[in-house]
Amino acid sequence: KVNNSRKEATMMQLNTDVIANRNIGIVFHDDLAVCDPHSHTFFELAYIIHGNAIHTLDGNSDAVKAGDYVFIEPGSVHSFSKTKDEDKLTVINCIFTPELILGNSRNKKMTFMDLLSAPLLNIDVNKIIGSPAFYVFHDSNNYISNMLYAMQYEYSNKMTNYFQIMKNLLISMIMSSIRQVSSKEMQNTNPVTMIKDYVSLHYAENNILNQFSTMSYYSPQYLSARFKTDTGETFKSYLQRVRCDVAEQLMNSTNMTVTQISEAVGYKDVKYFQEIFKKHKHVTPKKLKSHFDNIYNRK
């Protein structure tokens, strides 16, 4: 909750702005120096225009960067902290009340899933895995940012029908975002399981997490944090372990040299491969290969 007078004054002004502008507004922070933990009585879409930060929502933290955005529910406590104080953090916020979508509802405990169930949106919430309020979305093609800039223009100029245009743009942003978390693949499994499946096929490739991010709509930062939270192991460590397991299998079943095996599992630097292998297997690849060669009488 907001605990000091400065934050209370800011929140009061935000609430006043939203009410005065028919339950919707845009707040642009060119360089967000401080964003301490606070909560709102309205919904918020926070979009990172420039910079890198840690976003904390109800005690859970995710790394976010330019092109990432999050939804915050009324009553949730969230904050941003820049990863480097000297870097500029630019954020644009679309703030709106439940009444904008639901009419005269006064439910102060409205959740994002409640909002999606509104007849106006007509979204099948049964196809959504978890609440979208816990996702970090990524705007890979600037589709969302373009709509936010259009909303900011309408909000600033308040020309004829500006309110309806802003409302329609918001609905489009919500529906296109929900499409990212309700695909057929995501209905059946969670991202960590999908990452492991992807690694089993692409372990020897570079930038695996970025590749999967492009396919799954999750940001690499979210995937990395989610992987560590769900498994207790970093993605980097997991990938190393998978590569070492495959390397051991190749030593056991082929005549490949250590150099060839190193390249086959994704390491062009043989010395680095040897370090990683010993770290995970507690034996050098040369010694383990000799062991298998002796067992199978290989030369």
Side-chain angles (χ1 to χ4, degrees), residues 20-32:
N21 290 284
R22 306 178 71 178
N23 298 319
I24 189 169
I26 291 285
V27 179
F28 185 85
H29 302 279
D30 182 52
D31 188 6
L32 190 62

Side-chain angles (χ1 to χ4, degrees), residues 50-158:
H50 181 274
N52 297 273
I54 300 298
H55 178 246
T56 301
L57 176 66
D58 292 337
N60 298 309
S61 298
D62 288 301
V64 292
K65 66 180 190 311
D68 290 343
Y69 62 101
V70 294
F71 289 97
I72 300 100
E73 297 174 330
S76 288
V77 177
H78 82 116
S79 64
F80 284 104
S81 59
K82 294 193 291 187
T83 54
K84 293 183 179 179
D85 290 338
E86 64 272 18
D87 288 347
K88 183 176 181 180
L89 178 63
T90 303
V91 179
I92 185 168
N93 304 97
C94 174
I95 52 183
F96 58 98
T97 66
E99 288 78 17
L100 180 71
I101 305 296
L102 301 174
N104 294 322
S105 172
R106 295 295 174 183
N107 185 351
K108 297 303 181 182
K109 296 183 180 180
M110 182 70 61
T111 67
F112 200 75
M113 292 294 275
D114 292 332
L115 195 72
L116 298 179
S117 301
L120 180 62
L121 298 182
N122 194 31
I123 293 174
D124 186 356
V125 295
N126 293 321
K127 293 183 178 179
I128 300 173
I129 304 299
S131 172
F134 296 107
Y135 286 95
V136 175
F137 294 87
H138 186 66
D139 184 24
S140 58
N141 55 7
N142 298 320
Y143 185 63
I144 301 297
S145 64
N146 288 336
M147 285 191 281
L148 283 170
Y149 283 129
M151 289 181 71
Q152 185 181 24
Y153 176 83
E154 296 294 335
Y155 185 70
S156 299
N157 292 279
K158 295 181 174 58

Side-chain angles (χ1 to χ4, degrees), residues 11-290:
M11 292 301 102
M12 186 178 296
Q13 184 61 47
L14 285 174
N15 279 284
T16 301
D17 289 346
V18 171
I19 294 171
N21 290 284
R22 306 178 71 178
N23 298 319
I24 189 169
I26 291 285
V27 179
F28 185 85
H29 302 279
D30 182 52
D31 188 6
L32 190 62
V34 178
C35 182
D36 293 330
H38 64 280
S39 61
H40 308 287
T41 58
F42 44 76
F43 287 94
E44 176 182 341
L45 187 166
Y47 187 107
I48 310 300
I49 299 294
H50 181 274
N52 297 273
I54 300 298
H55 178 246
T56 301
L57 176 66
D58 292 337
N60 298 309
S61 298
D62 288 301
V64 292
K65 66 180 190 311
D68 290 343
Y69 62 101
V70 294
F71 289 97
I72 300 100
E73 297 174 330
S76 288
V77 177
H78 82 116
S79 64
F80 284 104
S81 59
K82 294 193 291 187
T83 54
K84 293 183 179 179
D85 290 338
E86 64 272 18
D87 288 347
K88 183 176 181 180
L89 178 63
T90 303
V91 179
I92 185 168
N93 304 97
C94 174
I95 52 183
F96 58 98
T97 66
E99 288 78 17
L100 180 71
I101 305 296
L102 301 174
N104 294 322
S105 172
R106 295 295 174 183
N107 185 351
K108 297 303 181 182
K109 296 183 180 180
M110 182 70 61
T111 67
F112 200 75
M113 292 294 275
D114 292 332
L115 195 72
L116 298 179
S117 301
L120 180 62
L121 298 182
N122 194 31
I123 293 174
D124 186 356
V125 295
N126 293 321
K127 293 183 178 179
I128 300 173
I129 304 299
S131 172
F134 296 107
Y135 286 95
V136 175
F137 294 87
H138 186 66
D139 184 24
S140 58
N141 55 7
N142 298 320
Y143 185 63
I144 301 297
S145 64
N146 288 336
M147 285 191 281
L148 283 170
Y149 283 129
M151 289 181 71
Q152 185 181 24
Y153 176 83
E154 296 294 335
Y155 185 70
S156 299
N157 292 279
K158 295 181 174 58
M159 297 181 290
T160 304
N161 298 322
Y162 84 93
F163 167 73
Q164 194 60 45
I165 292 174
M166 290 182 69
K167 182 177 179 179
N168 289 338
L169 285 168
L170 174 63
I171 291 172
S172 295
M173 286 192 292
I174 291 174
M175 297 188 74
S176 61
S177 298
I178 297 309
R179 185 167 55 192
Q180 295 185 20
V181 296
S182 59
S183 65
K184 181 178 179 181
E185 291 78 13
M186 294 184 65
Q187 293 174 39
N188 299 322
T189 189
N190 66 48
V192 172
T193 300
M194 290 192 289
I195 291 172
K196 289 183 175 181
D197 289 342
Y198 191 80
V199 168
S200 68
L201 298 174
H202 302 273
Y203 56 82
E205 298 177 15
N206 297 322
N207 302 317
I208 294 175
L209 207 58
N210 288 334
Q211 291 179 31
F212 184 79
S213 171
T214 302
M215 295 171 53
S216 67
Y217 300 104
Y218 291 106
S219 69
Q221 293 87 351
Y222 172 79
L223 291 171
S224 179
R226 176 67 182 273
F227 194 95
K228 177 65 182 297
T229 298
D230 285 11
T231 68
E233 181 179 22
T234 65
F235 174 76
K236 180 180 179 181
S237 176
Y238 174 77
L239 177 59
Q240 289 176 349
R241 187 158 55 82
V242 169
R243 286 175 167 176
C244 289
D245 286 345
V246 174
E248 182 177 356
Q249 293 172 11
L250 292 174
M251 292 176 193
N252 185 30
S253 60
T254 74
N255 285 319
M256 294 173 66
T257 66
V258 170
T259 299
Q260 290 171 332
I261 290 173
S262 173
E263 293 178 353
V265 298
Y267 295 111
K268 293 183 178 180
D269 186 335
V270 180
K271 289 185 178 179
Y272 181 65
F273 165 67
Q274 291 171 337
E275 292 174 3
I276 296 300
F277 191 89
K278 186 175 182 180
K279 173 185 174 182
H280 286 272
K281 297 296 182 178
H282 308 293
V283 64
T284 65
K286 182 178 180 180
K287 188 172 183 178
L288 186 59
K289 185 180 181 304
S290 296

